[in-house]
Amino acid sequence: MQDNPPRLYGVNEQTKSESDVERACESIRQLGYGIIDGGYDAEWLTSLSKAFDRAQDRHHREHGGADALTAIDEHNTIRLPLAYESLFLDLATNSKILEICRGLITGYAILNQQNGIINPPNGMRYNQGAWHRDLPYQHFVSSRPLAINALFCLDGFTIENGATMVLPASHRLEAFPSDHFVGTQAASITAPAGSFIVLDCMVFHSGGVNVSAKPRRAVNHVYTIPLLRQQIDLPAALGEDFAASPDLRRLLGYDVRQPRSVTEYLASRAPKS
């Protein structure tokens, strides 16, 4: 809370933001982005860092190797790391992030995707270093968020290592802004390791250029309304027995699988015993 609240005149209504989650939600509504601490200690971050490296190695081994992934521009991405390492499932179920989802997404949210992201060093280009929405190719606005992007900073985000850039309030605009607007209004979002940069998925953003000597690592999550198709069919990828908790199964999309036949659709309509 500010020591000296702003003076007001003619104001009958004011938003109240008292917790870190409420402040993040307000910032996302107004600007399209916010930052929140994930609540992890240094030991946990070290464990996740090691899990990230193991997941990357396994991802490369199971999908043709680094050269094959480079050929399709996938060498700086780890798709669905929670399928490899359980710590990534813990990350996807972070209580603050799920509370933000409940505060911004009507009904309930499902995990649409989780990807490890590597911003390579020494100014190398990578596929997230272009302006985009995390619901790409869409040019509309919504009065309420359809999806939330929670980018976890495994390494601290700095100007030098390519901090994420955003165009504030662009989630309210249908078209991508002009070159002049981008050049004058783009904001670089720095954040310490262990925090989340949380975006309305319709805000335009881009990875910055990493001119440092080390890769900058992050884990991106997209949570959406159940109507939107998952990037990867998580129930099919993880297996029927992956999650036992009803809440976790709902988050991972087990309750909204697409029926493969009329028979399956009708069975889904039957009352639950």
Side-chain angles (χ1 to χ4, degrees):
M1 183 65 68
Q2 296 180 9
D3 293 334
N4 297 304
R7 297 177 62 199
L8 305 176
Y9 172 76
V11 174
N12 294 322
E13 299 179 4
Q14 183 181 20
T15 301
K16 299 297 183 183
S17 295
E18 298 179 351
S19 70
D20 56 351
V21 168
E22 289 174 341
R23 290 168 187 151
C25 287
E26 181 180 19
S27 182
I28 295 163
R29 290 189 186 100
Q30 298 290 352
L31 299 175
Y33 68 93
I35 301 172
I36 192 165
D37 180 73
Y40 301 109
D41 60 24
E43 183 179 0
W44 195 91
L45 291 176
T46 297
S47 296
L48 186 66
S49 179
K50 294 177 180 178
F52 190 100
D53 293 341
R54 291 194 301 268
Q56 182 183 17
D57 180 67
R58 182 173 171 184
H59 185 69
H60 283 188
R61 285 189 284 105
E62 293 186 0
H63 299 286
D67 290 343
L69 292 170
T70 299
I72 57 174
D73 199 18
E74 282 283 324
H75 55 299
N76 289 314
T77 305
I78 308 169
R79 301 290 177 185
L80 197 58
L82 66 83
Y84 302 136
E85 295 280 341
S86 61
L87 280 182
F88 290 99
L89 181 60
D90 295 342
L91 190 64
T93 56
N94 179 276
S95 60
K96 291 184 179 181
I97 296 303
L98 296 185
E99 188 176 350
I100 289 173
C101 288
R102 288 191 293 270
L104 294 178
I105 295 178
T106 301
Y108 72 93
I110 66 168
L111 181 64
N112 180 283
Q113 57 188 269
Q114 183 193 61
N115 297 307
I117 297 174
I118 302 159
N119 189 338
N122 303 316
M124 296 174 62
R125 297 182 64 181
Y126 77 123
N127 57 7
Q128 296 297 307
W131 289 103
H132 63 283
R133 285 170 159 159
D134 273 0
L135 295 182
Y137 307 105
Q138 306 306 308
H139 289 282
F140 62 87
V141 294
S142 173
S143 60
R144 299 183 182 184
L146 301 176
I148 296 298
N149 170 3
L151 181 63
F152 181 73
C153 305
L154 180 55
D155 300 312
F157 276 40
T158 67
I159 299 299
E160 184 184 23
N161 71 12
T164 292
M165 298 182 294
V166 301
L167 294 177
S170 57
H171 62 307
R172 301 169 183 259
L173 305 173
E174 293 184 349
F176 186 71
S178 69
D179 292 350
H180 178 266
F181 183 92
V182 175
T184 58
Q185 301 301 319
S188 293
I189 309 303
T190 60
S195 56
F196 287 90
I197 300 172
V198 190
L199 311 175
D200 183 309
C201 272
M202 297 305 282
V203 78
F204 284 104
H205 60 284
S206 170
V209 178
N210 180 4
V211 297
S212 77
K214 295 182 178 181
R216 189 218 69 200
R217 301 165 301 165
V219 184
N220 192 39
H221 306 79
V222 176
Y223 302 87
T224 69
I225 60 173
L227 186 65
L228 299 182
R229 185 183 67 176
Q230 292 174 314
Q231 182 183 70
I232 296 170
D233 185 340
L234 267 62
L238 300 174
E240 185 62 34
D241 298 328
F242 182 82
S245 160
D247 288 343
L248 182 57
R249 291 179 69 83
R250 185 168 76 164
L251 177 68
L252 296 177
Y254 283 84
D255 291 352
V256 290
R257 283 172 286 185
Q258 183 175 339
R260 293 169 295 180
S261 66
V262 173
T263 299
E264 282 195 4
Y265 174 80
L266 294 176
S268 72
R269 301 282 293 173
K272 299 293 189 294
S273 57

